[in-house]
Amino acid sequence: MDMLEADTTTQVNMEVVRPLANFPPSIWGDRFLSFCLDYSKLETHAKAMVKPKEELKRMIVDPNMDSNEKLNLINCVYRLGLKYMFNEEIDNQLDKLYKELKIEDYDEADLCMVSLYFQVFRQHGYRLSCDVFNKFKDFSSGKFKEYITRDVKGLLSFYESTQLRIHGETILDEAFVFTEARLKDTVDTTLEGNLAQQVKQALSFPFHRGLPIAEARLYFSNYEEECVKYDPIPKLANAHFNYCQLKQKEELRILTKWYKDMEFQKISPYAREKMPEMYLLNLAVYEEPHYSDSRIITTKILQLLLVLDDTFDAYGTIDELRLLTDAINRWEISALEILPEYIKPFYKIVLNEYAQLEKQADKEGRANVVNASKLAFQEIARAYLREAEWRHSKQAPSFQEYLENGMATSSYNVLVKSGLVGMGEVVTEEALAWHVSHPKILQASELIARIHNDVASYKFERKRAPGATSIDAYVKTFGVPEHVAVDELEKMIENKWKDLNEGCLKPTQVSHEMLSRIVNYARVVYVAYKFSDGFTFSKKTAFQDFITLLFETSIPMQH
C-alpha cells in the first residue's frame, strides 16, 4: 500500500529466505498511552464555544456586511476548520454572493481580493471562471504585469488560487510557475514576521494540499491579523482547538491500547509500528469532532492493512502469500487450517474486527457499507499478491497493468469505504452506489497516492525488488531514461489534482461532505511524500512536526 513501503534488505534464515525490512522503531514509544481525559475540561471548552458561535453566526448572515468583508470572514472560518458549525449559513451566503457577482467587482479589486474570491468560491464548488485573472496579464507580451511582483500578499494569494485549477486553465498553469518562482525569490531575502511564515508554509504545503487539521492550527498563529479582526473568531477557535485536542488525545489513547491488547508487536514483529502516524492520517481526513467513529474505524483498518502490506513486502514467501490471499478471499474461520502458524493470529483479528463492525452496522441497518469495505479489503489482498508475483517472477509489468493494480494497492479504496461506516446518515444508498462505481475522483486520489509514493521511495524499493514501482514500469513500457519517467509521473500527479478539483465543482452527484474525504486522502499523501517517505521514516518530517503540534503542543493563548 502506498503509505506502507520502505527500504529493505534480504536476510537469510537457514530454513526459508524472507525479504525482511529494516523498518525504524516507533519514535513515539508509549507516550500516548498514559493520557487521562478530564471530562470537566472538555465540558468547559464546549461551553466556551457557545457564545462566540452564536455571535459568529449573526455576523455570517449579517445583510449589512460588505461583500468583500463577508468573503474574508467566510475564508477565515473555513481556514480555521470551523465551517462545519455554519454549513447552512455559509452556503446560503455564498449562493447569494455568487448570484450578485458583477464583472466590475473584479475590475476594481486588487490581486489579493480577486484571488480570495476565486479561492472561496472554488473551495465551495462554484465554477468561478479563471478569466477573473486576465487583467493581471499583459497579453501582448504574454507575461504577468510587473507591478504584481511587488505585492507579496497578492502573489501568495494568487499562488494559493492556482492550486484549485482544472484542465484547460492555461493562465493558472502559467501563474503557478510564475508565483512559485517569485515567492521563492523573496522568501529568504526581503520577508520577515508573519508574512515570511505564511509564504514559507505555503511553499512547503499550499493550503489546498495541506492537512486540514494542521493547516487550521498554523492559520491561527500565522494569520493572527485576519483572525482578530472578528471578535468571536479567536475565542471560538481557541475553545475549539482545546476541545478537539482533548478528544483526539483520548482517541489516540484508545487506539494505542487496542494495538497493545491485540499484541501486534508480538504477532507481526516484522511490521512497522505507526499508530500515531496512522491516527494523524485519518484525523486529517475526518477532522470534524463528530466523526470520531470514522477516525477509529479507519485507523484500525489501516493497522490491518499495514500488517498485510508488510507481510507481503517484508516477510512472507510467495507460497505463504498465495495461501493468505486465498484465506482472505474465503473469509471464514475454517480457512485458518491452510495458513502458516505465524499469520493465524492476524487472520483471526481481521475476521473479528470486521465481525464487530458488522454487528454494529446491522443495528443501524447499514451492513451494506461494511460489506463494501470487506470487498475492498479482499481486492487489496489480491492486488498485493499480484505485485508479489511480479517480484517473484522478476517480471516488470507494463505501465498500464501496474497502474490498474496500483489503484488498489494505494489502499484508499478500502480506507474511504471503511470511513463511510462511521459517517452515519450522510451515506445514503445512492452515495454508496456512487462510491462502489469507482468514480473518476476516487481513481484520481488513488493514482496520486500510488505514484507519489513510488516517486518518493523507488530508490529504496529497488534494493529489495527491482522492477516493482511505477518508475520501472514506465521505463520498460515507454523506453525512456529514469529521470524522464519521474518527470512524466510528476506531471501525471498534477493532472490528477486537476481531476480532483474538477470532481468537486457543482453540480456533484454526492455531497461535498463525502467528496472532501477523497480529496483529504490525496492531501495526506501529498504531505507524507512531498519531500521523502515521511510515513515510514517519520523522524524529522512533517508527520512528526504535526503529531507534536496537534497532540503535544498547548493551544495558543486566547486573545
Side-chain angles (χ1 to χ4, degrees):
M1 125 187 228
D2 72 314
M3 292 234 133
L4 315 173
E5 296 166 355
D7 182 10
T8 56
T9 57
T10 302
Q11 295 182 3
V12 181
N13 180 299
M14 288 301 287
E15 295 163 14
V16 66
V17 177
R18 297 194 179 280
L20 295 176
N22 283 328
F23 291 131
S26 169
I27 59 177
W28 307 105
D30 286 345
R31 74 177 76 178
F32 298 114
L33 199 55
S34 56
F35 177 72
C36 183
L37 179 59
D38 182 336
Y39 284 94
S40 64
K41 272 190 185 172
L42 197 67
E43 184 65 20
T44 301
H45 298 314
K47 281 180 180 165
M49 284 192 267
V50 176
K51 190 179 172 207
K53 184 179 168 184
E54 285 308 312
E55 289 171 359
L56 191 50
K57 189 180 282 189
R58 282 197 292 276
M59 287 178 84
I60 291 168
V61 298
D62 179 1
N64 301 315
M65 187 185 280
D66 170 75
S67 61
N68 288 355
E69 198 60 45
K70 182 75 61 89
L71 280 171
N72 250 320
L73 173 65
I74 289 171
N75 186 53
C76 198
V77 170
Y78 181 75
R79 298 257 330 227
L80 287 166
L82 301 172
K83 188 202 171 226
Y84 75 94
M85 298 184 185
F86 312 101
N87 273 332
E88 199 178 323
E89 291 82 6
I90 286 177
D91 290 346
N92 288 341
Q93 291 299 307
L94 288 176
D95 262 350
K96 189 168 174 293
L97 288 168
Y98 191 67
K99 281 173 190 149
E100 291 169 359
L101 272 181
K102 299 181 199 73
I103 197 69
E104 46 270 30
D105 294 337
Y106 301 114
D107 291 340
E108 292 162 19
D110 62 10
L111 181 58
C112 209
M113 201 64 226
V114 172
S115 298
L116 180 73
Y117 267 74
F118 188 80
Q119 283 169 58
V120 173
F121 284 119
R122 277 281 174 105
Q123 280 159 351
H124 290 84
Y126 293 87
R127 289 178 179 270
L128 186 60
S129 169
C130 64
D131 291 348
V132 296
F133 293 108
N134 284 348
K135 70 174 192 163
F136 302 109
K137 195 170 186 195
D138 181 340
F139 282 93
S140 58
S141 69
K143 293 179 178 172
F144 287 99
K145 292 177 179 172
E146 189 55 37
Y147 79 90
I148 68 171
T149 61
R150 297 186 289 278
D151 175 11
V152 179
K153 273 185 97 71
L155 274 181
L156 175 58
S157 199
F158 197 11
Y159 173 71
E160 293 282 18
S161 297
T162 67
Q163 308 299 323
L164 292 151
R165 66 195 187 277
I166 58 176
H167 294 282
E169 296 190 315
T170 315
I171 189 170
L172 293 182
D173 289 330
E174 292 168 6
F176 168 66
V177 176
F178 171 79
T179 53
E180 186 179 52
R182 290 295 182 282
L183 290 170
K184 281 178 175 172
D185 285 346
T186 58
V187 72
D188 294 319
T189 51
T190 55
L191 298 184
E192 52 189 34
N194 267 3
L195 188 56
Q197 276 307 110
Q198 290 165 12
V199 172
K200 277 180 188 164
Q201 176 59 26
L203 287 172
S204 290
F205 304 114
F207 168 68
H208 182 57
R209 297 194 188 183
L211 300 186
I213 193 82
E215 289 291 330
R217 279 284 292 275
L218 293 167
Y219 186 81
F220 196 48
S221 47
N222 292 344
Y223 286 80
E224 193 179 356
E225 243 176 81
E226 281 81 346
C227 294
V228 296
K229 271 200 298 191
Y230 311 102
D231 192 46
I233 280 185
K235 295 173 190 164
L236 179 59
N238 186 275
H240 185 255
F241 286 136
N242 274 295
Y243 177 83
C244 289
Q245 188 178 61
L246 289 177
K247 278 199 69 140
Q248 290 155 12
K249 285 169 84 165
E250 173 63 2
E251 287 169 10
L252 184 48
R253 181 198 68 78
I254 288 166
L255 286 160
T256 308
K257 184 175 184 307
W258 171 80
Y259 177 87
K260 294 279 179 196
D261 291 347
M262 294 292 117
E263 300 187 313
F264 279 108
Q265 268 187 306
K266 186 176 161 191
I267 67 172
S268 51
Y270 52 84
R272 281 159 288 178
E273 188 180 354
K274 289 281 161 192
M275 186 49 75
E277 289 86 352
M278 290 189 292
Y279 177 67
L280 172 66
L281 187 162
N282 289 300
L283 170 61
V285 177
Y286 303 95
E287 71 266 35
E288 300 90 340
H290 54 274
Y291 284 135
S292 181
D293 284 352
S294 287
R295 289 191 287 277
I296 288 174
I297 290 166
T298 47
T299 306
K300 286 182 175 182
I301 298 295
L302 185 51
Q303 172 60 36
L304 301 180
L305 291 172
L306 183 76
V307 175
L308 190 67
D309 185 55
D310 288 347
T311 304
F312 272 86
D313 269 4
Y315 197 77
T317 66
I318 192 66
D319 290 333
E320 291 168 349
L321 300 177
R322 288 167 184 153
L323 293 171
L324 177 55
T325 307
D326 185 33
I328 288 170
N329 280 322
R330 283 168 57 183
W331 206 276
E332 55 192 30
I333 201 71
S334 64
L336 269 180
E337 63 199 36
I338 67 168
L339 290 174
E341 281 305 312
Y342 74 86
I343 204 68
K344 285 180 178 178
F346 169 71
Y347 184 71
K348 280 182 191 166
I349 292 172
V350 171
L351 294 190
N352 189 45
E353 287 300 321
Y354 269 96
Q356 286 180 28
L357 278 184
E358 281 172 335
K359 198 172 167 186
Q360 185 56 37
D362 269 343
K363 283 183 198 164
E364 299 163 12
R366 308 176 54 72
N368 54 349
V369 189
V370 179
N371 194 49
S373 169
K374 189 198 292 185
L375 290 171
F377 196 96
Q378 291 172 317
E379 179 196 37
I380 201 172
R382 293 191 293 274
Y384 283 155
L385 179 63
R386 203 165 298 126
E387 274 188 354
E389 297 283 10
W390 287 331
R391 285 196 300 268
H392 178 67
S393 64
K394 297 185 169 51
Q395 291 290 309
S398 74
F399 186 63
Q400 195 52 42
E401 284 175 313
Y402 181 88
L403 276 196
E404 282 168 15
N405 198 61
M407 284 205 285
T409 61
S410 76
S411 80
Y412 282 16
N413 192 27
V414 190
L415 292 175
V416 172
K417 288 188 170 66
S418 302
L420 299 180
V421 178
M423 285 183 76
E425 301 301 309
V426 178
V427 188
T428 59
E429 286 286 344
E430 293 76 21
L432 180 61
W434 174 85
H435 246 290
V436 171
S437 75
H438 211 212
K440 188 176 178 182
I441 189 172
L442 180 56
Q443 292 177 40
S445 192
E446 289 170 342
L447 283 178
I448 287 170
R450 178 71 274 149
I451 297 169
H452 236 316
N453 170 253
D454 288 350
V455 169
S457 61
Y458 74 97
K459 287 177 180 167
F460 296 130
E461 289 295 315
R462 190 164 288 160
K463 293 177 187 174
R464 174 176 57 81
T469 72
S470 53
I471 289 92
D472 301 293
Y474 198 95
V475 167
K476 176 194 168 185
T477 303
F478 300 107
V480 296
E482 195 173 277
H483 70 276
V484 173
V486 171
D487 286 349
E488 289 303 316
L489 289 169
E490 284 176 342
K491 283 182 202 160
M492 193 180 279
I493 290 170
E494 288 306 315
N495 276 326
K496 293 300 165 190
W497 271 99
K498 291 177 182 180
D499 287 346
L500 279 185
N501 293 339
E502 178 84 58
C504 292
L505 295 180
K506 297 174 180 182
T508 58
Q509 286 180 269
V510 292
S511 66
H512 186 74
E513 191 83 348
M514 292 187 66
L515 292 171
S516 64
R517 313 305 149 187
I518 295 172
V519 179
N520 282 350
Y521 273 120
R523 289 172 171 142
V524 164
V525 87
Y526 180 83
V527 170
Y529 293 119
K530 184 173 180 185
F531 301 109
S532 62
D533 180 349
F535 177 78
T536 299
F537 304 102
S538 50
K539 197 169 185 178
K540 296 183 179 168
T541 66
F543 260 52
Q544 181 179 2
D545 293 345
F546 292 155
I547 288 167
T548 303
L549 174 72
L550 295 169
F551 311 135
E552 299 197 307
T553 308
S554 57
I555 311 301
M557 285 304 293
Q558 191 175 316
H559 300 278

